[in-house]
Amino acid sequence: MSELRYSFASRVSNLIPSPLREQAKHVQTADDYIKLTYGYPSNQAFPIEKLAKLSDKIYRQHAVEFMQYGETEGIPKLREQLKSRLHQYQNLDVVSNDILITSGSTQGMDLVFKIFVNEGDTVLTEEQTFIGAVNAIKSYGGHAQGLPFDMTSGCIDTEALEATLSADTAHRIKLLYLIPTFQNPIGTSMSLEKRQEVYDICQKHQVMIYEDDPYGDLLYSDIESIPKIKSLDTTGIVIYAGSFSKILAPGSRLGYLLAPKAVFDKLVLVKQVADSFANLYWQYLASQLIDDYDFNEHIAYLRQLYKVKADAMVGALRKYATKDMTFVVPDGGYFISVKLNDDIDSNAFYDALDQRHVGVIPGNVMSAAGQGYERYFRLNFTLPSVEEIETGIQRIAQAAAVAKVKQ
Ligand SMILES: Cc1ncc(COP(=O)(O)O)c(C=O)c1O
């Protein structure tokens, strides 16, 4: 059969498969392979017994509802529960904003970029950022432009933000995409002052902010939790995105957007086109979980579980790996970002790591530019056991030692 040349649309011609998804498909077969790679929750994090009971209950009480077609916005009960939680715990305005339940927060960003990004538009991001967002921006012909990031303040360079927005006289910059709390891949959080500064700059230039917050509940240190950028939003420029993936189960594919009413209306339209509505079974299940159990207690359990692992990783890095690399101690979330010292050959390091059967995410993969961050790599501490963490970091230290450039 002669090979057919498909005439794909230009919006997909510059997309490459997410290396994260591709690697996830490729099973690492070695028994001693240690995955510090993906942003997966621990297998101990799922409240399986509770969900099994609740599943039985919702089958008896709501089977017909969740097997039927449903509302695009999401089931009313879950939307109300989320609004109530966001208002009570985060002081978010749930009157001039509305909630759309999405198929994971991945769909949330897709829908938002779909309604704002024209071919040739720009979305600003942190220079190292979530690859899923970069790909979603590109899929609408947009350009993801990373802004310099200061590891100490956990914030993009606000002078660069101001200068970039001032220079954009053609108004091609549509959004600023940020992960302000327990950033992926860096792990840092923006201070309240920085959040206000960023909000004020975007407000002045009338540029929307997408606040991506899948990790916000997972605080491990005793610092006070920092208000969301959305809580500062008096003018309707911030879209807040939450997810059940990191705090319940990624298999639920449940996320949500809290957006100003006019934006919400457009999101509902494109959600109808995309998939009509998010999975109803999981919407009922999550809603029943919040009703019948104390969801805050579940989050408290996750914090305990993950704090032990985060501490183990920080401890192991301090014990084995300070000679050849530096790292940022996170206050929460799923990740620690590490930077190799200048005298380490990064290619040799990743090869040596591969030979030692440890998976990490190299910085270039999680960046807007896709290059220039090879000295950085991201480590996940939620999926591996404490023992795997210890061994994994030991192997990372060995790989760095063999990759040292001879003086
Ligand atoms: C910053 C960020 N946003 C969004 C997502 C997507 O999450 P979901 O499973 O809700 O689609 C992830 C997943 O890793 C993430 O790290």
PDB file of all heavy atoms in Angstrom, residues 95-113:
ATOM      1  N   VAL A  95     -19.975  34.436  43.650  1.00  0.00           N
ATOM      2  CA  VAL A  95     -21.202  35.089  43.201  1.00  0.00           C
ATOM      3  C   VAL A  95     -20.998  35.688  41.805  1.00  0.00           C
ATOM      4  O   VAL A  95     -21.766  35.420  40.881  1.00  0.00           O
ATOM      5  CB  VAL A  95     -21.647  36.174  44.215  1.00  0.00           C
ATOM      6  CG1 VAL A  95     -22.862  36.937  43.691  1.00  0.00           C
ATOM      7  CG2 VAL A  95     -21.961  35.520  45.553  1.00  0.00           C
ATOM      8  N   SER A  96     -19.915  36.452  41.639  1.00  0.00           N
ATOM      9  CA  SER A  96     -19.677  36.975  40.280  1.00  0.00           C
ATOM     10  C   SER A  96     -18.883  35.995  39.413  1.00  0.00           C
ATOM     11  O   SER A  96     -18.599  36.274  38.252  1.00  0.00           O
ATOM     12  CB  SER A  96     -18.997  38.338  40.310  1.00  0.00           C
ATOM     13  OG  SER A  96     -18.283  38.537  41.477  1.00  0.00           O
ATOM     14  N   ASN A  97     -18.520  34.853  39.993  1.00  0.00           N
ATOM     15  CA  ASN A  97     -17.849  33.796  39.218  1.00  0.00           C
ATOM     16  C   ASN A  97     -18.715  32.549  39.262  1.00  0.00           C
ATOM     17  O   ASN A  97     -19.502  32.373  40.181  1.00  0.00           O
ATOM     18  CB  ASN A  97     -16.499  33.466  39.834  1.00  0.00           C
ATOM     19  CG  ASN A  97     -15.532  34.627  39.761  1.00  0.00           C
ATOM     20  OD1 ASN A  97     -14.926  34.871  38.737  1.00  0.00           O
ATOM     21  ND2 ASN A  97     -15.415  35.370  40.854  1.00  0.00           N
ATOM     22  N   ASP A  98     -18.521  31.665  38.291  1.00  0.00           N
ATOM     23  CA  ASP A  98     -19.263  30.406  38.334  1.00  0.00           C
ATOM     24  C   ASP A  98     -18.320  29.236  38.090  1.00  0.00           C
ATOM     25  O   ASP A  98     -17.208  29.414  37.577  1.00  0.00           O
ATOM     26  CB  ASP A  98     -20.393  30.434  37.301  1.00  0.00           C
ATOM     27  CG  ASP A  98     -21.593  29.615  37.801  1.00  0.00           C
ATOM     28  OD1 ASP A  98     -21.419  28.776  38.694  1.00  0.00           O
ATOM     29  OD2 ASP A  98     -22.689  29.828  37.272  1.00  0.00           O
ATOM     30  N   ILE A  99     -18.806  28.047  38.458  1.00  0.00           N
ATOM     31  CA  ILE A  99     -17.965  26.843  38.391  1.00  0.00           C
ATOM     32  C   ILE A  99     -18.378  25.921  37.257  1.00  0.00           C
ATOM     33  O   ILE A  99     -19.565  25.601  37.116  1.00  0.00           O
ATOM     34  CB  ILE A  99     -18.058  26.056  39.722  1.00  0.00           C
ATOM     35  CG1 ILE A  99     -17.084  26.645  40.723  1.00  0.00           C
ATOM     36  CG2 ILE A  99     -17.813  24.594  39.532  1.00  0.00           C
ATOM     37  CD1 ILE A  99     -16.406  25.651  41.597  1.00  0.00           C
ATOM     38  N   LEU A 100     -17.387  25.521  36.486  1.00  0.00           N
ATOM     39  CA  LEU A 100     -17.606  24.517  35.434  1.00  0.00           C
ATOM     40  C   LEU A 100     -16.799  23.276  35.806  1.00  0.00           C
ATOM     41  O   LEU A 100     -15.589  23.368  36.048  1.00  0.00           O
ATOM     42  CB  LEU A 100     -17.113  25.072  34.081  1.00  0.00           C
ATOM     43  CG  LEU A 100     -17.115  24.102  32.906  1.00  0.00           C
ATOM     44  CD1 LEU A 100     -18.547  23.745  32.497  1.00  0.00           C
ATOM     45  CD2 LEU A 100     -16.372  24.706  31.708  1.00  0.00           C
ATOM     46  N   ILE A 101     -17.472  22.126  35.856  1.00  0.00           N
ATOM     47  CA  ILE A 101     -16.744  20.869  36.114  1.00  0.00           C
ATOM     48  C   ILE A 101     -16.152  20.420  34.775  1.00  0.00           C
ATOM     49  O   ILE A 101     -16.863  20.342  33.763  1.00  0.00           O
ATOM     50  CB  ILE A 101     -17.669  19.762  36.651  1.00  0.00           C
ATOM     51  CG1 ILE A 101     -18.495  20.239  37.847  1.00  0.00           C
ATOM     52  CG2 ILE A 101     -16.873  18.502  36.994  1.00  0.00           C
ATOM     53  CD1 ILE A 101     -17.764  20.447  39.128  1.00  0.00           C
ATOM     54  N   THR A 102     -14.852  20.134  34.788  1.00  0.00           N
ATOM     55  CA  THR A 102     -14.163  19.758  33.547  1.00  0.00           C
ATOM     56  C   THR A 102     -13.640  18.327  33.634  1.00  0.00           C
ATOM     57  O   THR A 102     -13.575  17.748  34.718  1.00  0.00           O
ATOM     58  CB  THR A 102     -12.968  20.701  33.291  1.00  0.00           C
ATOM     59  OG1 THR A 102     -12.100  20.657  34.437  1.00  0.00           O
ATOM     60  CG2 THR A 102     -13.431  22.131  33.056  1.00  0.00           C
ATOM     61  N   SER A 103     -13.260  17.782  32.491  1.00  0.00           N
ATOM     62  CA  SER A 103     -12.661  16.448  32.469  1.00  0.00           C
ATOM     63  C   SER A 103     -11.173  16.595  32.801  1.00  0.00           C
ATOM     64  O   SER A 103     -10.322  16.718  31.916  1.00  0.00           O
ATOM     65  CB  SER A 103     -12.858  15.809  31.098  1.00  0.00           C
ATOM     66  OG  SER A 103     -14.228  15.639  30.856  1.00  0.00           O
ATOM     67  N   GLY A 104     -10.878  16.635  34.073  1.00  0.00           N
ATOM     68  CA  GLY A 104      -9.521  16.916  34.543  1.00  0.00           C
ATOM     69  C   GLY A 104      -9.218  18.392  34.343  1.00  0.00           C
ATOM     70  O   GLY A 104      -9.908  19.088  33.589  1.00  0.00           O
ATOM     71  N   SER A 105      -8.175  18.862  35.037  1.00  0.00           N
ATOM     72  CA  SER A 105      -7.839  20.273  34.785  1.00  0.00           C
ATOM     73  C   SER A 105      -7.152  20.408  33.440  1.00  0.00           C
ATOM     74  O   SER A 105      -7.041  21.502  32.899  1.00  0.00           O
ATOM     75  CB  SER A 105      -7.041  20.876  35.935  1.00  0.00           C
ATOM     76  OG  SER A 105      -5.857  20.180  36.133  1.00  0.00           O
ATOM     77  N   THR A 106      -6.711  19.299  32.865  1.00  0.00           N
ATOM     78  CA  THR A 106      -6.166  19.334  31.505  1.00  0.00           C
ATOM     79  C   THR A 106      -7.198  19.915  30.546  1.00  0.00           C
ATOM     80  O   THR A 106      -6.884  20.745  29.691  1.00  0.00           O
ATOM     81  CB  THR A 106      -5.794  17.899  31.050  1.00  0.00           C
ATOM     82  OG1 THR A 106      -4.769  17.423  31.906  1.00  0.00           O
ATOM     83  CG2 THR A 106      -5.314  17.855  29.617  1.00  0.00           C
ATOM     84  N   GLN A 107      -8.446  19.501  30.717  1.00  0.00           N
ATOM     85  CA  GLN A 107      -9.464  20.058  29.826  1.00  0.00           C
ATOM     86  C   GLN A 107      -9.725  21.526  30.144  1.00  0.00           C
ATOM     87  O   GLN A 107      -9.994  22.316  29.236  1.00  0.00           O
ATOM     88  CB  GLN A 107     -10.785  19.287  29.931  1.00  0.00           C
ATOM     89  CG  GLN A 107     -11.777  19.809  28.900  1.00  0.00           C
ATOM     90  CD  GLN A 107     -13.122  19.142  28.977  1.00  0.00           C
ATOM     91  OE1 GLN A 107     -13.720  19.054  30.036  1.00  0.00           O
ATOM     92  NE2 GLN A 107     -13.601  18.660  27.850  1.00  0.00           N
ATOM     93  N   GLY A 108      -9.611  21.884  31.420  1.00  0.00           N
ATOM     94  CA  GLY A 108      -9.826  23.288  31.787  1.00  0.00           C
ATOM     95  C   GLY A 108      -8.917  24.208  30.990  1.00  0.00           C
ATOM     96  O   GLY A 108      -9.351  25.208  30.409  1.00  0.00           O
ATOM     97  N   MET A 109      -7.623  23.858  30.941  1.00  0.00           N
ATOM     98  CA  MET A 109      -6.707  24.758  30.219  1.00  0.00           C
ATOM     99  C   MET A 109      -6.983  24.723  28.719  1.00  0.00           C
ATOM    100  O   MET A 109      -6.924  25.748  28.039  1.00  0.00           O
ATOM    101  CB  MET A 109      -5.242  24.497  30.578  1.00  0.00           C
ATOM    102  CG  MET A 109      -4.719  23.137  30.332  1.00  0.00           C
ATOM    103  SD  MET A 109      -3.028  22.938  30.979  1.00  0.00           S
ATOM    104  CE  MET A 109      -3.320  22.749  32.713  1.00  0.00           C
ATOM    105  N   ASP A 110      -7.327  23.560  28.216  1.00  0.00           N
ATOM    106  CA  ASP A 110      -7.640  23.455  26.783  1.00  0.00           C
ATOM    107  C   ASP A 110      -8.807  24.393  26.426  1.00  0.00           C
ATOM    108  O   ASP A 110      -8.744  25.134  25.444  1.00  0.00           O
ATOM    109  CB  ASP A 110      -7.978  22.006  26.440  1.00  0.00           C
ATOM    110  CG  ASP A 110      -8.285  21.831  24.964  1.00  0.00           C
ATOM    111  OD1 ASP A 110      -7.404  22.159  24.149  1.00  0.00           O
ATOM    112  OD2 ASP A 110      -9.398  21.399  24.623  1.00  0.00           O
ATOM    113  N   LEU A 111      -9.856  24.361  27.252  1.00  0.00           N
ATOM    114  CA  LEU A 111     -11.037  25.190  26.957  1.00  0.00           C
ATOM    115  C   LEU A 111     -10.700  26.678  27.060  1.00  0.00           C
ATOM    116  O   LEU A 111     -11.145  27.488  26.233  1.00  0.00           O
ATOM    117  CB  LEU A 111     -12.186  24.853  27.912  1.00  0.00           C
ATOM    118  CG  LEU A 111     -12.722  23.418  27.881  1.00  0.00           C
ATOM    119  CD1 LEU A 111     -13.854  23.253  28.880  1.00  0.00           C
ATOM    120  CD2 LEU A 111     -13.182  23.016  26.483  1.00  0.00           C
ATOM    121  N   VAL A 112      -9.911  27.026  28.063  1.00  0.00           N
ATOM    122  CA  VAL A 112      -9.575  28.449  28.238  1.00  0.00           C
ATOM    123  C   VAL A 112      -8.723  28.942  27.062  1.00  0.00           C
ATOM    124  O   VAL A 112      -8.976  30.022  26.507  1.00  0.00           O
ATOM    125  CB  VAL A 112      -8.862  28.673  29.596  1.00  0.00           C
ATOM    126  CG1 VAL A 112      -8.271  30.076  29.673  1.00  0.00           C
ATOM    127  CG2 VAL A 112      -9.849  28.461  30.741  1.00  0.00           C
ATOM    128  N   PHE A 113      -7.729  28.145  26.673  1.00  0.00           N
ATOM    129  CA  PHE A 113      -6.907  28.586  25.539  1.00  0.00           C
ATOM    130  C   PHE A 113      -7.759  28.640  24.265  1.00  0.00           C
ATOM    131  O   PHE A 113      -7.589  29.495  23.420  1.00  0.00           O
ATOM    132  CB  PHE A 113      -5.678  27.680  25.359  1.00  0.00           C
ATOM    133  CG  PHE A 113      -4.753  27.706  26.558  1.00  0.00           C
ATOM    134  CD1 PHE A 113      -4.097  26.556  27.000  1.00  0.00           C
ATOM    135  CD2 PHE A 113      -4.561  28.885  27.269  1.00  0.00           C
ATOM    136  CE1 PHE A 113      -3.266  26.594  28.120  1.00  0.00           C
ATOM    137  CE2 PHE A 113      -3.728  28.929  28.396  1.00  0.00           C
ATOM    138  CZ  PHE A 113      -3.083  27.778  28.815  1.00  0.00           C
TER     139      PHE A 113
END
